[in-house]
Amino acid sequence: MDPRCTMGLAILIFVTVLLISDAVSVETQAYFNGTAYLPCPFTKAQNISLSELVVFWQDQQKLVLYEHYLGTEKLDSVNAKYLGRTSFDRNNWTLRLHNVQIKDMGSYDCFIQKKPPTGSIILQQTLTELSVIANFSEPEIKLAQNVTGNSGINLTCTSKQGHPKPKKMYFLITNSTNEYGDNMQISQDNVTELFSISNSLSLSFPDDVWHMTVVCVLETESMKISSKPLNFTQEFPSPQTYWKEITASVTVALLLVMLLIIVCHKKPNQPSRPSNTASKLERDSNADRETINLKELEPQIASAKPNAE
């Protein structure tokens, strides 16, 4: 290369570096499907007409979003993904990017060039870092089944279509600061890149508790979103069922009492058969009683004999 060309290129690079060494860097945020504002404030706008300048924005892949060439919009160099999605605010030197998607997140450069008769000079560069947010839907609690005295509570909580990725989701229960949740799941849509989140909970009524209030909470990087409180009242048994249970309980109790009485008053076992000696003694005793009875009757027998004669 000609030494003079090399020196000229070096001077141009040096001048360019000097001119853009004070490049502005800003951060901006837009809502999903909303409008992003990409500023490019030009401090020398009062001294230079827009018709003398080339102003354009490009993304981090060097794809052109918009170009204003010497006072006129130039669409030839605009990438197809940005056609019809931009508008230029001349008063504020800001490019509006419409219908913002999650894929639009990233950095954007704005260049302001002066177009002399030969070549071009970069007067200013502005770097904008764009972030995109989407509000999650309000968490919604759904009951998987009716609450009865014999079953627990099975709950699911869901929130959809949000960005950035949520931190966590959990349940809060009456009079407790503990966070409950059995199975938190986060998914991302392949097209929109939005996140959805769900969690589930299974629990039973504590003893002597008939009423509970449950709230589902979603935490993101910047906020907490709570569901509407869901109140649960445990069903009391019907009167028929209640009396049936009481009758059954009383019947069982009476049967147990009767069984206990029978066991306690059961006759002792019969004694073993008396031995031969005992039998003999009993017979002798009976014979003595018979002898005594005959002696007592002798006077009566004697008095009766004369009459007979």
Side-chain angles (χ1 to χ4, degrees), residues 79-212:
N79 186 268
K81 66 183 290 187
Y82 297 113
L83 283 173
R85 294 182 58 201
T86 60
S87 58
F88 179 49
D89 183 352
R90 298 188 181 192
N91 296 325
N92 297 317
W93 292 75
T94 299
L95 182 69
R96 294 184 288 258
L97 177 62
H98 306 287
N99 192 27
V100 173
Q101 303 296 300
I102 302 300
K103 296 177 181 179
D104 292 325
M105 291 178 58
S107 57
Y108 295 86
D109 285 304
C110 170
F111 294 95
I112 299 177
Q113 297 176 338
K114 186 174 182 181
K115 196 72 174 174
T118 57
S120 60
I121 301 174
I122 298 177
L123 301 179
Q124 183 173 308
Q125 178 185 3
T126 302
L127 173 65
T128 301
E129 192 70 30
L130 173 64
S131 60
V132 180
I133 61 174
N135 289 331
F136 281 89
S137 63
E138 181 181 282
E140 181 181 6
I141 302 176
K142 291 185 178 180
L143 182 63
Q145 64 187 43
N146 292 331
V147 182
T148 65
N150 298 323
S151 66
I153 305 172
N154 295 318
L155 305 175
T156 60
C157 182
T158 57
S159 181
K160 301 177 181 180
Q161 304 296 301
H163 198 277
K165 185 176 181 179
K167 295 173 62 178
K168 59 181 178 179
M169 172 182 276
Y170 52 89
F171 294 88
L172 294 177
I173 302 175
T174 309
N175 300 326
S176 175
T177 58
N178 295 330
E179 298 176 0
Y180 298 90
D182 301 328
N183 185 25
M184 187 178 75
Q185 296 182 349
I186 300 176
S187 60
Q188 187 174 23
D189 188 278
N190 293 330
V191 178
T192 64
E193 298 188 13
L194 296 175
F195 292 96
S196 295
I197 183 172
S198 65
N199 205 345
S200 59
L201 177 65
S202 298
L203 73 159
S204 301
F205 273 94
D207 294 339
D208 301 326
V209 174
W210 295 95
H211 304 280
M212 281 197 303

Side-chain angles (χ1 to χ4, degrees), residues 233-250:
T233 300
Q234 188 171 200
E235 295 179 359
F236 290 91
S238 63
Q240 294 82 359
T241 303
Y242 180 74
W243 284 112
K244 285 180 181 179
E245 292 179 354
I246 291 180
T247 303
S249 300
V250 171

Side-chain angles (χ1 to χ4, degrees), residues 266-286:
K266 185 178 180 182
K267 293 183 178 180
N269 295 330
Q270 295 294 331
S272 60
R273 188 173 183 177
S275 63
N276 294 334
T277 304
S279 299
K280 184 179 180 181
L281 290 174
E282 185 176 355
R283 287 195 299 270
D284 293 345
S285 176
N286 292 335

